[in-house]
Amino acid sequence: MYWRLIPLMRLPGQFQMAIDQWLLEQHQAGIYPPVLRFYTWASPTISLGYHQHRWDSAWQQLTWQGTPVELVRRPTGGRAVLHQGDLTYMVITSGLTGKRLDAYQKMCGFLIQGWRSLGVDLHYGSAGRDYIRNPNCFGIATGADLVTANGYKLIGSAQLRRGDAILQHGSMRLEPDTQLFEQVFGETLSYVNLPIIQEGDALIQTVVEVLTNAAADCFGVELVEQPLSNEEWQRILRQSSLELGSPVGDFGKGTRGRGS
């Protein structure tokens, strides 16, 4: 069995969300196999959960280093996520059985295995329903999230289900700016020193390579690298009513899981 692996892309948030949504629809329709991809954000961006109604209106006027902070809505549930200094993963598959948290644990297994090989042991969060009152995804860790031994939330995840198909994506905090985080959420960001010598793009490349190998092992599949074609891009842009001169490639409706 093979899965499609889409190479790392750096794009504005609205395009990243459109890609995720479109890929899920193609898989649900039986057109595409399961998909794995990793991506980064062209500029600091806040993604809101699909059903999130509580958030600070001042976020619409935020800037960072002279650049406006983009505000987008995810197709998945959960709270707001600040995407800056992070890496996002996305998995689309189908055929998973059991409860929602069972699906999270099956999907997150490769993250735990991969990060363990990098020297970071992760376990699932244990927060109850209090997460609903917190607009900040990383302000609390649910059973869908992964935290370090000292309680630092490294990965926040969320899902969208359409029939038998599941889209799960999540943010991994690699090199977050603590001042920007405090500006957005009004709270101090605890920091974890990752046991990895690389920084910046080199760090991202290392994490992507390790997690890609872990995904192939955990899911028992062959990952076949296949970038988005020009035709696929045009279909994504038309469906989402977006305009983009050329994608930068340098590196709905359904049941939405809480996550994040």
Side-chain angles (χ1 to χ4, degrees), residues 32-237:
Y32 287 174
V35 183
L36 170 69
R37 80 183 188 103
F38 299 92
Y39 54 89
T40 58
W41 306 68
S43 62
T45 302
I46 300 171
S47 69
L48 303 172
Y50 187 83
H51 294 294
Q52 182 174 358
H53 301 295
R54 295 180 56 193
W55 52 279
D56 193 335
S57 60
W59 290 354
Q60 294 177 294
Q61 287 80 43
L62 280 176
T63 61
W64 185 70
Q65 297 182 350
T67 302
V69 175
E70 186 182 1
L71 191 64
V72 300
R73 191 169 292 279
R74 299 190 306 273
T76 54
R79 308 293 92 191
V81 179
L82 173 61
H83 301 281
Q84 178 279 322
D86 70 331
L87 171 68
T88 301
Y89 78 91
M90 188 223 66
V91 178
I92 293 173
T93 188
S94 53
L96 299 182
T97 58
K99 298 179 180 179
R100 184 176 303 281
L101 285 181
D102 294 333
Y104 271 112
Q105 293 186 5
K106 291 175 182 177
M107 301 274 269
C108 287
F110 81 101
L111 299 171
I112 295 175
Q113 177 176 316
W115 277 100
R116 182 181 298 122
S117 71
L118 290 169
V120 180
D121 287 324
L122 298 174
H123 62 272
Y124 295 99
S126 58
R129 293 189 58 81
D130 286 345
Y131 82 94
I132 295 177
R133 293 189 287 272
N134 192 329
N136 170 20
C137 164
F138 281 88
I140 197 165
T142 73
D145 305 315
L146 295 174
V147 301
T148 63
N150 62 1
Y152 177 87
K153 181 173 174 178
L154 184 67
I155 307 175
S157 300
Q159 285 185 358
L160 167 60
R161 288 173 176 250
R162 281 195 169 180
D164 191 41
I166 297 178
L167 179 160
Q168 179 171 309
H169 54 194
S171 170
M172 295 175 269
R173 295 195 289 182
L174 301 183
E175 297 176 303
D177 184 278
T178 56
Q179 291 184 339
L180 178 60
F181 187 89
E182 186 171 352
Q183 179 184 353
V184 173
F185 295 113
E187 50 188 271
T188 302
L189 172 67
S190 57
Y191 194 78
V192 60
N193 290 318
L194 299 175
I196 308 173
I197 60 174
Q198 290 94 343
E199 297 178 349
D201 290 350
L203 171 60
I204 291 174
Q205 291 286 2
T206 294
V207 174
V208 167
E209 181 178 350
V210 169
L211 294 182
T212 298
N213 291 334
D217 183 51
C218 285
F219 295 118
V221 299
E222 177 186 0
L223 291 168
V224 178
E225 185 170 307
Q226 183 182 0
L228 291 174
S229 67
N230 289 333
E231 180 183 354
E232 289 174 323
W233 264 113
Q234 293 307 314
R235 292 168 63 190
I236 292 169
L237 298 179

